[in-house]
Amino acid sequence: MAKVNNGAALLSLCLLLAYSAGQSAAAYVDVEGTVRKEVENAIKGNPGIGAALVRLVFHDCWVNGCDGSVLLDKTPSGGNTEKKAINNIGLDGFNLIDTIKYKLGNSVSCADIVVFAARDAARYLSGGKMAYSVPSGRKDGIVSSDATADAILPQSTFEFQQLKDNFANKGFTQEELVILSGAHSIGVSHLSSFQDRLNDSTATPIDDSYKQALVKDIEDQKKSQNTSDPIEKNNIRDMSLKFQNDSGYDTAGVNTAAKGALDNSYYHANLQNRVLFKSDWVMRTDSKAGDDMAEYMNNATKWNNDFAAAMVKLSKLPAEGSARYEIRKNCRVTNQNYYY
Ligand code: HEM
Ligand SMILES: *[C@@H]1O[C@H](CO)[C@@H](O)[C@H](O)[C@H]1NC(C)=O
Ligand SMILES: *[C@@H]1O[C@H](CO)[C@@H](O)[C@H](O)[C@H]1NC(C)=O
Ligand SMILES: *[C@@H]1O[C@H](CO)[C@@H](O)[C@H](O)[C@H]1NC(C)=O
């Protein structure tokens, strides 16, 4: 133990010296250690924040590449930023990103923080099974538009071909679509994101007893959350025993004790036709996607490995366009009001 500590201390000292040699009077900050600690503490206080962070990196990197554009409240060009996009309903984690940024200071980009925070959330929510490394050095953009986010992010009402095209536009395969959709093993959704599934004029096939349990629960949630657009948990694994039983959910092969865990239980739910989104269900209509989902349902390790690899690829999507890039001082605003 003493040896390890000495090694770590020596490494820190070397990094400090190397850093000080290049920069004057800047103290060494353990960037990744700080993010991890803050993310873990935040999830312990509020488990929902972990799912929010995993979604946040997808929504940042898909639109303009990984450039922190999703975090902006305003830009020099004015107009609504990505946060106002319809497709970004329920997006969260911004306060935690601010807290982390405050601790790390002006040498770490907001885009890097989003990537690291999602990585650490995935690791924590998977009980350490989902561990991967991602490079640092991203820069923050100065452009962010709600219209762009609504044009580029996939929608839950998409057909299979639209989902495939959406992923292909970003250089992602059909298999990676199947793999990354497994993120819906965690988190929540607003009713408005899946109500098409419950309306006879728009419905896509959904297990009938699950649908009935859902409709009943939605009425309860409208009252307890006091809103006409309540949230429901994405994964039937996270619902009450009574809900699961009413839905006829087959728990064979599912670790039902691991509520809130990022794992392959999404594939169990989807292959039983007990998921919220049409975009999840519609993958069942393709035989190759169906085969892949069966494989991930039966092999948790394979999904952990492949999901981690797809997250690394997502986290490396380069900032797009010729706009200026910077390391923001405050993740919510650009450093200048005008750029020449
Ligand atoms: C394949 C296309 C996808 C579609 C159409 C889609 C759509 C959605 C929708 C509509 C919601 C619920 C939003 C709300 O109503 O509050 C949601 C939640 C979520 N999505 Fe996706 N998604 C997709 C892919 C992904 C990917 C690639 C990831 C991450 C790798 C992801 C991670 C999540 C997470 C973690 C949540 C829960 C968020 C929370 O609880 O705060 N999704 N998604
Ligand atoms: C069902 O969908 C149709 C067509 O989109 C819409 O006109 C109707 O208001 C919806 N019904 C409910 C109960 O949401
Ligand atoms: C589970 O569902 C069955 C019928 O589907 C019902 O008979 C039984 O009472 C239910 N059990 C619980 C604990 O809800
Ligand atoms: C599950 O996937 C892993 C990783 O791809 C592989 O090494 C292993 O052989 C698979 N297990 C089974 C039972 O197929």
Side-chain angles (χ1 to χ4, degrees):
M1 204 51 204
K3 241 187 174 148
V4 172
N5 283 338
N6 286 339
L10 190 62
L11 180 66
S12 300
L13 186 64
C14 291
L15 288 169
L16 177 64
L17 292 174
Y19 194 72
S20 306
Q23 319 267 318
S24 57
Y28 169 71
V29 188
D30 176 9
V31 174
E32 297 196 32
T34 301
V35 177
R36 183 168 162 184
K37 194 174 114 232
E38 293 297 324
V39 166
E40 292 188 357
N41 285 342
I43 298 175
K44 280 175 200 157
N46 167 16
I49 198 86
L53 293 171
V54 172
R55 183 170 177 233
L56 190 63
V57 74
F58 174 49
H59 286 219
D60 188 32
C61 295
W62 221 239
V63 183
N64 305 334
C66 305
D67 68 344
S69 56
V70 77
L71 306 173
L72 288 169
D73 286 341
K74 58 179 185 138
T75 67
S77 62
N80 286 335
T81 60
E82 291 173 29
K83 282 179 184 178
K84 291 269 166 67
I86 295 164
N87 289 343
N88 276 330
I89 182 175
L91 205 65
D92 207 350
F94 303 111
N95 290 341
L96 176 60
I97 299 290
D98 289 343
T99 302
I100 296 171
K101 174 67 176 173
Y102 182 75
K103 302 221 157 169
L104 293 180
N106 292 343
S107 61
V108 182
S109 69
C110 300
D112 274 356
I113 294 173
V114 168
V115 164
F116 290 142
R119 184 267 305 271
D120 296 334
R123 180 190 169 129
Y124 188 80
L125 294 178
S126 66
K129 290 180 185 132
M130 190 79 65
Y132 56 86
S133 306
V134 276
S136 62
R138 289 165 203 75
K139 289 220 171 145
D140 301 320
I142 61 168
V143 172
S144 178
S145 132
D146 61 342
T148 306
D150 275 330
I152 290 178
L153 290 167
Q155 293 169 26
S156 63
T157 50
F158 272 10
E159 302 296 342
F160 186 64
Q161 189 61 47
Q162 290 177 295
L163 291 170
K164 269 175 64 168
D165 292 346
N166 183 277
F167 271 58
N169 283 340
K170 296 287 156 188
F172 282 66
T173 64
Q174 174 181 315
E175 194 169 13
E176 287 165 330
L177 164 68
V178 170
I179 292 163
L180 284 171
S181 295
H184 293 159
S185 68
I186 54 174
V188 296
S189 168
H190 288 81
L191 169 61
S192 54
S193 297
F194 63 88
Q195 65 186 357
D196 58 295
R197 303 263 283 153
L198 309 172
N199 182 329
D200 286 342
S201 64
T202 53
T204 35
I206 184 167
D207 176 81
D208 195 55
S209 42
Y210 170 65
K211 180 179 163 183
Q212 284 176 32
L214 200 53
V215 167
K216 186 169 172 295
D217 195 63
I218 287 164
E219 291 315 310
D220 294 344
Q221 296 299 334
K222 279 181 178 168
K223 284 180 203 125
S224 63
Q225 295 176 35
N226 193 24
T227 168
S228 60
D229 193 16
I231 53 169
E232 286 284 356
K233 296 183 171 92
N234 283 338
N235 194 338
I236 189 173
R237 184 263 332 262
D238 294 343
M239 299 298 279
S240 71
L241 275 180
K242 176 162 179 7
F243 182 97
Q244 293 179 357
N245 185 55
D246 289 348
S247 307
Y249 177 48
D250 179 359
T251 58
V254 178
N255 181 2
T256 50
K259 288 209 187 292
L262 180 66
D263 65 15
N264 67 337
S265 58
Y266 161 85
Y267 301 99
H268 289 265
N270 200 4
L271 293 175
Q272 290 182 43
N273 217 357
R274 290 169 173 82
V275 288
L276 297 182
F277 306 135
K278 174 182 169 185
S279 58
D280 293 323
W281 167 80
V282 82
M283 294 195 297
R284 294 167 47 113
T285 62
D286 180 85
S287 72
K288 172 71 170 64
D291 288 350
D292 286 342
M293 290 200 288
E295 189 173 14
Y296 289 120
M297 177 180 86
N298 291 318
N299 192 335
T301 308
K302 182 167 170 57
W303 184 72
N304 288 338
N305 293 344
D306 292 357
F307 184 78
M311 288 295 279
V312 171
K313 182 170 169 181
L314 177 64
S315 304
K316 286 182 179 171
L317 281 174
E320 292 167 11
S322 55
R324 275 192 58 161
Y325 287 94
E326 60 189 16
I327 295 182
R328 247 174 251 152
K329 295 189 175 77
N330 173 342
C331 292
R332 292 175 184 265
V333 290
T334 54
N335 290 346
Q336 296 169 217
N337 288 324
Y338 301 97
Y339 290 83
Y340 300 100

